Amino acid sequence: MRVAVVGAGIIGMTTAFAVKTAFPRLQVHVLADQFSPDTTGDGSAGLWGPYLLGDTPSDKILAWAGATHRWLENFWKSGQASETGVSLVPVCRVTSDPKGYIDSSWTKLVYGAHKLTAEELEKLNEEHKSNYKEGWTFVTFTSEPVRLLPWLKEKFLGLGGEVRRRKVHALHELIDDGYDLIINCSGLGARELANDNTLVPIRGQVARVTASWAMHGHLVDDEDSYYIIPNIDTTILGGTHQENDFDRTPREEDSRSIYDGCCRIMPALEAVTSSEEWVGLRPGRPSVRLEAEVLRSPRGKNFTVIHNYGHGGSGVTLSWGCALDVVAILRQTWTPNSNL
């Protein structure tokens, strides 16, 4: 049985690895026109934390995010942290929303979650020249896609999987080429491949700087969502979340806004001179789509597609949990005689 996984980003590669691990006899091919280091995820900080997920049900978010957190924890404990880009990072997440509300259901999954007291908020507001209404501190993982993706690819190939550089124009063309099942992890590409007009780009501009002394992450859940996220070799400064914006070119006005906002939080960043700017388009959707669908090709042949896309700014956060659900769907969809 031949399976095509469309998309080589963090969702596609985790899914391909999970499927090939669960079903060693399957012929699993990853098809994409771009591979690491040229995917949307490669420029991201890889911070674990639900972000830009629309109306995705909280129980699903917790299940997927929790499974991924345990997966990252295993890398940390087993000595594979460096090769998979995994780090433990203390984080402060705040909001200036007048309602003073951060969805904190996920805090049960992280380490040492603590809601900031009124006194702690007052002190932070004085330091940041801000007006935060609520905040949390906790410790969580980063898993940098620029390291995790090559690791996933190597392990997938080691299991006998294959990667093929190919631009897929329509899902049914893969059935015509002899594939028995398609797993659609095409991210923003699902606008065309799945004819999904609810999927929109959420433009994210960041700067990657050298600041080895930055040991804490800072996230501001506001309209101007500034964040500082330490990685192993660099620190990510962000960012923007501009919906329906396809522009992949860094903008000077966004660069200035990010720099000023992050320096207000961490004044020592004013001394940073080295900077690499990057723009990625997150696949935003009212809700993550993870389900099987039976389609009909122009030649009249029915075929199954398992969709796994629309993860917004939470690709790393949900990746392994969603991959395991794809495996579960496969177990339910195909009979024991399906040569899995």
Side-chain angles (χ1 to χ4, degrees):
M1 179 174 169
R2 301 175 75 218
V3 176
V5 178
V6 182
I10 193 67
I11 297 300
M13 289 309 303
T14 50
T15 298
F17 176 55
V19 169
K20 187 61 178 171
T21 300
F23 307 109
R25 289 191 295 167
L26 283 183
Q27 295 182 51
V28 183
H29 299 167
V30 175
L31 310 178
D33 59 345
Q34 289 185 321
F35 288 85
S36 182
D38 299 316
T39 73
T40 297
D42 280 291
S44 71
L47 180 73
W48 184 100
Y51 182 56
L52 299 176
L53 285 169
D55 296 323
T56 303
S58 60
D59 60 332
K60 290 186 176 182
I61 293 174
L62 289 176
W64 294 330
T68 305
H69 195 274
R70 292 187 292 274
W71 186 55
L72 299 179
E73 182 181 61
N74 183 64
F75 287 140
W76 177 260
K77 291 181 175 179
S78 64
Q80 300 177 85
S82 179
E83 55 189 308
T84 55
V86 172
S87 300
L88 265 178
V89 180
V91 175
C92 179
R93 187 170 181 173
V94 294
T95 182
S96 300
D97 189 318
K99 297 178 182 178
Y101 175 72
I102 295 176
D103 178 8
S104 57
S105 58
W106 50 267
T107 57
K108 67 183 72 173
L109 301 174
V110 295
Y111 310 116
H114 162 71
K115 186 175 182 179
L116 296 180
T117 65
E119 293 77 13
E120 289 168 330
L121 278 173
E122 183 180 358
K123 181 180 179 181
L124 205 58
N125 281 325
E126 183 178 345
E127 292 176 355
H128 294 180
K129 301 179 177 60
S130 298
N131 190 31
Y132 304 139
K133 303 297 185 183
E134 184 181 338
W136 287 79
T137 60
F138 53 93
V139 178
T140 189
F141 291 106
T142 57
S143 184
E144 303 168 37
V146 72
R147 294 186 182 222
L148 180 59
L149 283 170
W151 183 90
L152 285 166
K153 181 180 177 182
E154 178 185 351
K155 296 300 181 182
F156 172 69
L157 293 175
L159 292 172
E162 296 183 27
V163 297
R164 299 182 177 182
R165 190 174 295 274
R166 171 175 176 174
K167 174 68 175 178
V168 179
H169 299 281
L171 295 177
H172 66 77
E173 74 185 39
L174 300 176
I175 299 301
D176 295 338
D177 287 349
Y179 287 100
D180 302 291
L181 174 73
I182 300 167
I183 304 176
N184 176 23
C185 303
S186 58
L188 198 58
R191 283 168 58 90
E192 288 75 36
L193 290 180
N195 194 28
D196 188 346
N197 58 15
T198 70
L199 194 66
V200 299
I202 305 177
R203 181 180 181 272
Q205 179 171 324
V206 300
R208 187 178 291 271
V209 304
T210 301
S212 57
W213 39 263
M215 305 298 290
H216 290 71
H218 298 269
L219 311 175
V220 182
D221 282 354
D222 287 351
E223 188 62 32
D224 296 322
S225 57
Y226 303 118
Y227 51 84
I228 302 166
I229 304 174
N231 275 180
I232 294 173
D233 296 318
T234 57
T235 298
I236 305 296
L237 309 182
T240 63
H241 54 279
Q242 298 146 335
E243 290 195 14
N244 275 311
D245 192 332
F246 287 88
D247 185 9
R248 293 291 303 272
T249 304
R251 299 172 185 160
E252 176 60 33
E253 61 269 27
D254 289 332
S255 301
R256 174 53 55 183
S257 175
I258 290 169
Y259 179 77
D260 290 345
C262 290
C263 285
R264 189 170 64 247
I265 296 170
M266 188 179 291
L269 289 170
E270 294 177 3
V272 170
T273 55
S274 59
S275 176
E276 175 188 353
E277 295 186 312
W278 175 89
V279 176
L281 303 180
R282 309 176 184 99
R285 197 173 184 275
S287 180
V288 173
R289 187 180 189 191
L290 206 170
E291 62 182 358
E293 181 182 25
V294 177
L295 299 175
R296 193 170 184 84
S297 75
R299 296 186 180 183
K301 183 176 181 179
N302 290 342
F303 62 97
T304 299
V305 177
I306 300 176
H307 297 289
N308 183 16
Y309 67 84
H311 299 78
S314 302
V316 167
T317 303
L318 305 184
S319 58
W320 190 245
C322 288
L324 293 180
D325 266 18
V326 170
V327 169
I329 291 174
L330 263 174
R331 294 190 190 280
Q332 296 167 3
T333 302
W334 299 90
T335 67
N337 297 322
S338 296
N339 199 30
L340 293 183

